[in-house]
Amino acid sequence: MEKNERRAREFHLRRKEILSHAERIFAAKGFYNTTVAEIANSSGFAVGTIYQFFEGKEHLYTTMISEGLDLMYGGIRDAVKQEKGFVARIEALVRAHLSFVENHTEFCSILMNVKNNALSSEGTSLRDRMVSDYLSNIRFIEEVISDGVTDGELMRIDERASAVALIGMIHSFTIEWLMSRTPEPLVEKLGTIMDLFLNGIGMKLKRR
Amino acid sequence: MEKNERRAREFHLRRKEILSHAERIFAAKGFYNTTVAEIANSSGFAVGTIYQFFEGKEHLYTTMISEGLDLMYGGIRDAVKQEKGFVARIEALVRAHLSFVENHTEFCSILMNVKNNALSSEGTSLRDRMVSDYLSNIRFIEEVISDGVTDGELMRIDERASAVALIGMIHSFTIEWLMSRTPEPLVEKLGTIMDLFLNGIGMKLKRR
Amino acid sequence: MEKNERRAREFHLRRKEILSHAERIFAAKGFYNTTVAEIANSSGFAVGTIYQFFEGKEHLYTTMISEGLDLMYGGIRDAVKQEKGFVARIEALVRAHLSFVENHTEFCSILMNVKNNALSSEGTSLRDRMVSDYLSNIRFIEEVISDGVTDGELMRIDERASAVALIGMIHSFTIEWLMSRTPEPLVEKLGTIMDLFLNGIGMKLKRR
Amino acid sequence: MEKNERRAREFHLRRKEILSHAERIFAAKGFYNTTVAEIANSSGFAVGTIYQFFEGKEHLYTTMISEGLDLMYGGIRDAVKQEKGFVARIEALVRAHLSFVENHTEFCSILMNVKNNALSSEGTSLRDRMVSDYLSNIRFIEEVISDGVTDGELMRIDERASAVALIGMIHSFTIEWLMSRTPEPLVEKLGTIMDLFLNGIGMKLKRR
DNA sequence: GATGAATGAGGGTTCATTCAT
DNA sequence: GATGAATGAACCCTCATTCAT
């Protein structure tokens, strides 16, 4: 029936509306300083309405982060899949990450602050989810690097450490950008990041 | 008078005691899930007593972070000062940072989660302090790098970006280490970090 | 017109359906722990539909109790009317009461818990109704007893007290039976109740 | 130390104060129509203070009932213990019960309404407690009766049924009295109850 | 007439802070 | 100076009721 379909569409629209407003407020004030009433108000619904879409404040928060993470990591993986060759793939990965940050600054502001937050009462589910996403992202990068080694484009290296370093650099540039609120796009740092990742600052260090 | 001196010493001792217990609990449960009563209990004082050492819960938290940051950045700078030569100085910097993490895991757990947290109602002072500390740390690293250029040990490079990258790598390895709870010391990553910072993963990228 | 008649019949059917489901849930969970949504759900109607049959939750509850009371007291009076002679009439009264309890355990479970419940905000109508029903039942029993005296079957006694005592015994056996959930019918207590009511435990007490 | 003792005494005083105010309000408006704020207000404390004495609204209620039951049943048993002879003991029991009602009308108003109320979320503890108290009271009366049989003061009878009947009569007179708010003391019904319990209304019923 | 999503007042509970002892 | 009981503002969540479809 058509009616149900429209219902479902409207439901989804409202849900998104709430999530988006929640994202803005959570980003500005943090989880604990944001009240459900505020979110309701800002999104033009009554308090009770929020509870028809989400089981509670924490669930709303968790859902927002969860869906954001799916979008982010999904986008990164898709971008990498479409490329061949080690450098191109890494570049795609970094570019996708930076683009996501640019297009979801509020979400990423939140992300930068939650890492380990001991939120959840029942089964630290969000924390676990985030840690596991973080780790699988590292592993994903490791694989990209390993493929590069297998394909002969790269010498044998410590894949894990390299992945960790790359993630760290991306995060660091992200934070720098979020904090400075520069008008110039974050993606312009792509070349710099690639260069530093591939070559470092360009100086040989005597092995100990 | 001697009495006053002993008073002052005792005062300091108690203060430290409280701070240290607060640190442990804040690290375990986060700012908002920690109650003043808990801290009082854990440190063996009455709730009211806490308020004779700190103006309030937030002040206690802020103080704890503040003094930790002083210790951390101070240590790093001291370590760097005692070295000559670019590589040695960078190495000292990274080593000091990693050592601090190892010896203050709880404090660093907190640090990883606070970055931007919109704590303070009045004056966002902590956030400002942390941002400014973060920035001055970046600038400090920039200077070390600049010195390296000046001294001819290094080609002209984007000092800011390099500093940001180095910080990012250090943070990333720190998070990795805090999360995995490996028994092996974090400092063992020093070589890896130095290598990646100086040379990257070891592959030339054609400049675009 | 026939249509209207069918309408009315259907209306009544739905109404009864709702009342019956409500009775079950109210009995199980009490007035305040039962939600209108639950009743709607259980009876297969939408929440809004409930409000076309009853003015509100309290009205639904009140109606249910009211109609149950009518049924109960009506049945008792009818049963008494059909008998002649004091003992036969009292026996009919007790039997009718016990039978009603057996056939309406859920309703009676509720009844046992409401006696004085300060439900209604405006007008304590239900409470008043129940008290008045209770009192008129007592008066009814008084009359049966008075008739017994008039007819010479009984010595002059305190009719009121006797009626109160009889009601108390019936209630007490009812509660006992509801609580123990014995398979044997409550009506089997009829003989015991009659015996105790007429003769007590069978021991003379010197009048003081 | 003396200080602690005074503390404890004051604690107990306040606790009793709250319980007593709560009792009055609960009796007047029922559990669900009474707010914690009201109780706090009425007893002259802040809301939060209530929570230093009781874990929550339900706990406050439960505690009040529990302690009242202890007082009631304890008093009844003590009264019975001090008597010898079947009739004297039953009389003591009934008198104690009626006196308690007179001196605790508010508490007993509540009692009359709670019997089976499906209050408790976690483990129907209050209901269980009350049922078990009720049953052990019945068993206690059974024993008093059995003793009467053993001592040859009474013929062999259905002790359980007799106990149930006595309780029922007591309750019924209690309700009657509570409802009518007669100025004359409930204890005056003692003779009537004893008479009805021992001899019934004074008419032989042919055994079927 | 039937529906069920939206509403928002209301209540239980927590906890940072104060202040009399 | 130390204590910890008292305070009460603030917040999350529920659910009876309404009304547009």
Side-chain angles (χ1 to χ4, degrees):
Chain A
M1 211 207 278
E2 267 190 3
K3 205 170 150 193
N4 278 341
E5 206 176 321
R6 209 196 50 201
R7 277 265 172 86
R9 211 188 330 281
E10 278 189 7
F11 179 89
H12 233 76
L13 236 64
R14 289 188 223 279
R15 193 174 170 283
K16 262 199 154 175
E17 190 70 13
I18 294 172
L19 280 171
S20 131
H21 281 266
E23 191 175 307
R24 177 149 61 250
I25 304 180
F26 279 136
K29 317 177 54 172
F31 179 78
Y32 289 101
N33 290 312
T34 299
T35 69
V36 175
E38 234 170 336
I39 295 172
N41 227 35
S42 153
S43 36
F45 293 99
V47 184
T49 307
I50 304 290
Y51 284 84
Q52 291 196 330
F53 290 88
F54 305 94
E55 286 160 30
K57 186 186 175 185
E58 190 163 333
H59 181 231
L60 169 52
Y61 188 71
T62 298
T63 302
M64 187 206 71
I65 303 271
S66 244
E67 300 193 354
L69 288 175
D70 283 345
L71 207 64
M72 181 173 85
Y73 288 125
I76 292 173
R77 274 158 214 223
D78 286 351
V80 172
K81 255 183 223 147
Q82 287 171 7
E83 299 292 333
K84 296 284 169 210
F86 171 69
V87 174
R89 294 180 83 193
I90 289 289
E91 202 174 290
L93 187 151
V94 177
R95 185 200 308 278
H97 204 134
L98 300 181
S99 294
F100 183 86
V101 172
E102 274 182 27
N103 298 320
H104 302 82
T105 50
E106 252 135 25
F107 175 72
C108 290
S109 292
I110 299 177
L111 261 206
M112 297 290 101
N113 299 328
V114 192
K115 276 284 156 45
N116 288 4
N117 232 355
L119 243 198
S120 43
S121 30
E122 26 172 290
T124 44
S125 49
L126 180 58
R127 189 186 134 69
D128 287 355
R129 160 76 200 272
M130 291 184 71
V131 168
S132 113
D133 272 10
Y134 173 81
L135 291 176
S136 79
N137 192 37
I138 297 236
R139 263 189 312 264
F140 176 69
I141 301 179
E142 273 187 76
E143 276 165 39
V144 174
I145 298 176
S146 291
D147 290 351
V149 175
T150 307
D151 297 353
E153 304 185 60
L154 213 54
M155 290 183 303
R156 169 127 226 100
I157 55 173
D158 182 340
E159 289 96 352
R160 178 74 174 201
S162 307
V164 169
L166 181 56
I167 286 285
M169 282 166 50
I170 293 172
H171 277 185
S172 200
F173 279 95
T174 294
I175 289 171
E176 172 86 357
W177 185 78
L178 286 173
M179 264 168 35
S180 66
R181 297 165 201 271
T182 323
E184 55 174 298
L186 176 57
V187 180
E188 290 189 0
K189 293 294 179 193
L190 176 58
T192 308
I193 294 176
M194 288 303 293
D195 201 15
L196 282 164
F197 179 59
L198 297 177
N199 307 313
I201 62 170
M203 186 199 198
K204 294 287 171 235
L205 170 70
K206 222 168 41 193
R207 282 279 147 68
R208 274 158 317 158
Chain B
M1 211 208 277
E2 267 193 2
K3 205 169 146 194
N4 278 341
E5 205 177 322
R6 207 198 49 203
R7 278 263 176 91
R9 208 188 335 279
E10 277 190 8
F11 181 87
H12 230 75
L13 238 61
R14 288 192 225 275
R15 195 174 168 285
K16 260 201 156 176
E17 191 69 12
I18 295 171
L19 280 171
S20 132
H21 282 267
E23 188 175 312
R24 179 151 60 251
I25 304 180
F26 279 137
K29 317 177 54 173
F31 180 77
Y32 288 100
N33 291 313
T34 299
T35 67
V36 175
E38 238 171 331
I39 295 171
N41 220 38
S42 156
S43 43
F45 293 97
V47 183
T49 309
I50 303 287
Y51 282 81
Q52 292 190 331
F53 289 88
F54 305 93
E55 288 159 31
K57 185 185 176 186
E58 192 163 328
H59 181 231
L60 168 52
Y61 187 73
T62 299
T63 304
M64 187 206 73
I65 302 269
S66 248
E67 301 194 353
L69 288 174
D70 283 347
L71 207 62
M72 182 173 85
Y73 289 126
I76 290 171
R77 274 156 215 223
D78 286 351
V80 171
K81 256 182 223 149
Q82 287 171 7
E83 297 294 333
K84 297 280 170 211
F86 172 68
V87 174
R89 296 178 82 194
I90 289 289
E91 200 172 292
L93 186 151
V94 177
R95 186 201 307 280
H97 204 135
L98 300 181
S99 293
F100 183 85
V101 172
E102 273 182 27
N103 297 321
H104 302 82
T105 51
E106 253 136 24
F107 175 72
C108 291
S109 292
I110 299 176
L111 225 50
M112 295 290 102
N113 301 326
V114 192
K115 279 281 159 48
N116 287 4
N117 231 351
L119 248 197
S120 42
S121 30
E122 23 172 293
T124 52
S125 50
L126 179 58
R127 187 186 136 67
D128 287 356
R129 161 74 198 273
M130 291 184 70
V131 167
S132 109
D133 273 10
Y134 172 83
L135 292 175
S136 80
N137 190 37
I138 296 235
R139 263 187 312 264
F140 176 69
I141 300 179
E142 274 186 77
E143 277 166 38
V144 175
I145 297 174
S146 290
D147 290 352
V149 174
T150 308
D151 298 352
E153 302 185 61
L154 212 54
M155 294 181 301
R156 169 127 226 96
I157 54 173
D158 182 341
E159 289 97 350
R160 178 71 173 202
S162 305
V164 169
L166 181 57
I167 286 285
M169 280 166 50
I170 293 173
H171 276 184
S172 199
F173 278 94
T174 294
I175 289 171
E176 174 89 353
W177 185 79
L178 286 172
M179 262 167 35
S180 67
R181 297 164 200 277
T182 321
E184 56 174 299
L186 177 58
V187 180
E188 290 188 0
K189 292 296 178 194
L190 175 59
T192 307
I193 293 175
M194 290 303 293
D195 202 14
L196 281 164
F197 179 59
L198 298 177
N199 307 311
I201 62 170
M203 186 198 198
K204 295 287 174 237
L205 170 70
K206 224 170 35 199
R207 286 276 149 70
R208 274 160 315 158
Chain C
M1 210 208 277
E2 268 192 0
K3 208 169 148 194
N4 277 343
E5 207 179 319
R6 208 197 51 204
R7 277 262 176 93
R9 211 191 327 282
E10 276 190 8
F11 181 88
H12 231 74
L13 236 63
R14 287 191 226 275
R15 195 173 168 286
K16 263 202 152 176
E17 191 68 14
I18 295 172
L19 280 170
S20 132
H21 282 267
E23 189 175 309
R24 179 153 59 253
I25 304 179
F26 279 136
K29 317 176 54 172
F31 179 77
Y32 289 99
N33 291 312
T34 299
T35 67
V36 175
E38 237 171 330
I39 295 171
N41 220 37
S42 156
S43 41
F45 293 98
V47 183
T49 308
I50 303 286
Y51 282 82
Q52 290 187 332
F53 288 88
F54 305 94
E55 286 160 31
K57 186 187 177 185
E58 194 163 329
H59 181 233
L60 169 52
Y61 187 72
T62 298
T63 303
M64 187 206 71
I65 302 268
S66 249
E67 301 194 352
L69 288 175
D70 283 345
L71 207 63
M72 183 171 86
Y73 288 126
I76 290 173
R77 275 156 213 224
D78 286 351
V80 172
K81 258 181 222 150
Q82 287 171 7
E83 299 291 335
K84 295 286 170 206
F86 171 69
V87 175
R89 294 179 84 192
I90 291 290
E91 202 175 290
L93 188 150
V94 178
R95 187 201 307 280
H97 203 135
L98 302 180
S99 292
F100 184 86
V101 172
E102 274 182 26
N103 298 320
H104 303 82
T105 49
E106 252 137 22
F107 175 70
C108 292
S109 292
I110 299 177
L111 225 49
M112 296 289 100
N113 300 327
V114 192
K115 280 280 157 49
N116 288 4
N117 230 351
L119 247 197
S120 42
S121 28
E122 20 173 296
T124 52
S125 49
L126 181 58
R127 187 185 135 68
D128 288 356
R129 160 75 199 272
M130 291 183 71
V131 168
S132 111
D133 273 10
Y134 173 81
L135 291 176
S136 79
N137 191 36
I138 297 234
R139 261 187 315 261
F140 176 68
I141 300 179
E142 274 185 76
E143 277 165 37
V144 175
I145 296 175
S146 290
D147 291 351
V149 175
T150 307
D151 299 351
E153 301 185 63
L154 214 53
M155 294 181 300
R156 167 128 228 98
I157 54 172
D158 183 340
E159 290 96 352
R160 177 72 173 204
S162 307
V164 170
L166 181 56
I167 285 284
M169 281 166 49
I170 293 173
H171 277 187
S172 201
F173 279 94
T174 294
I175 289 172
E176 173 89 353
W177 185 78
L178 285 173
M179 261 168 38
S180 65
R181 296 162 201 274
T182 322
E184 54 174 300
L186 176 57
V187 180
E188 291 188 0
K189 293 294 180 195
L190 175 59
T192 306
I193 294 176
M194 288 304 292
D195 203 14
L196 283 164
F197 179 58
L198 297 177
N199 307 312
I201 62 170
M203 185 198 200
K204 295 284 172 242
L205 170 68
K206 228 173 29 202
R207 285 276 147 70
R208 276 162 312 162
Chain D
M1 210 205 279
E2 268 191 3
K3 204 169 149 192
N4 279 341
E5 207 178 320
R6 209 196 48 200
R7 275 269 171 86
R9 211 190 328 283
E10 278 191 6
F11 179 89
H12 233 75
L13 237 62
R14 289 189 224 277
R15 193 177 170 283
K16 263 200 153 177
E17 189 70 13
I18 294 172
L19 278 172
S20 130
H21 282 266
E23 192 176 307
R24 179 150 58 253
I25 305 180
F26 278 138
K29 317 177 52 172
F31 179 78
Y32 289 101
N33 290 312
T34 300
T35 69
V36 175
E38 237 170 333
I39 296 172
N41 226 37
S42 154
S43 37
F45 293 99
V47 184
T49 308
I50 304 289
Y51 284 83
Q52 290 197 330
F53 289 87
F54 304 95
E55 286 159 31
K57 185 188 177 184
E58 191 163 334
H59 182 232
L60 169 52
Y61 187 72
T62 297
T63 302
M64 188 207 70
I65 302 271
S66 244
E67 301 194 352
L69 288 174
D70 283 345
L71 207 63
M72 181 173 86
Y73 288 125
I76 290 173
R77 274 155 213 225
D78 285 353
V80 172
K81 256 183 221 147
Q82 287 172 7
E83 298 294 334
K84 295 284 170 211
F86 172 68
V87 175
R89 296 179 81 195
I90 289 290
E91 203 174 291
L93 188 150
V94 177
R95 189 201 306 279
H97 204 133
L98 300 180
S99 294
F100 183 87
V101 173
E102 274 182 26
N103 298 320
H104 302 81
T105 50
E106 253 136 22
F107 175 70
C108 290
S109 292
I110 299 178
L111 260 206
M112 296 289 102
N113 300 325
V114 192
K115 278 280 157 47
N116 288 3
N117 232 353
L119 245 198
S120 42
S121 31
E122 26 173 290
T124 45
S125 48
L126 180 57
R127 187 186 135 68
D128 287 356
R129 162 75 200 273
M130 292 183 71
V131 168
S132 111
D133 272 11
Y134 172 81
L135 291 176
S136 80
N137 191 36
I138 297 237
R139 264 190 309 265
F140 176 68
I141 300 180
E142 274 186 76
E143 276 165 38
V144 174
I145 297 175
S146 290
D147 290 352
V149 175
T150 307
D151 297 353
E153 303 185 60
L154 214 53
M155 294 182 300
R156 171 128 226 95
I157 54 170
D158 182 341
E159 289 96 353
R160 178 72 174 203
S162 306
V164 169
L166 181 56
I167 286 283
M169 281 166 49
I170 294 173
H171 276 187
S172 200
F173 279 95
T174 295
I175 289 172
E176 173 87 355
W177 184 80
L178 286 171
M179 263 169 34
S180 67
R181 298 164 200 273
T182 322
E184 54 175 298
L186 177 57
V187 180
E188 292 189 359
K189 294 293 178 196
L190 176 59
T192 307
I193 294 177
M194 288 302 293
D195 203 14
L196 283 165
F197 179 58
L198 297 177
N199 307 311
I201 62 171
M203 187 200 199
K204 293 287 174 238
L205 170 71
K206 231 177 25 205
R207 284 277 150 67
R208 277 160 312 160

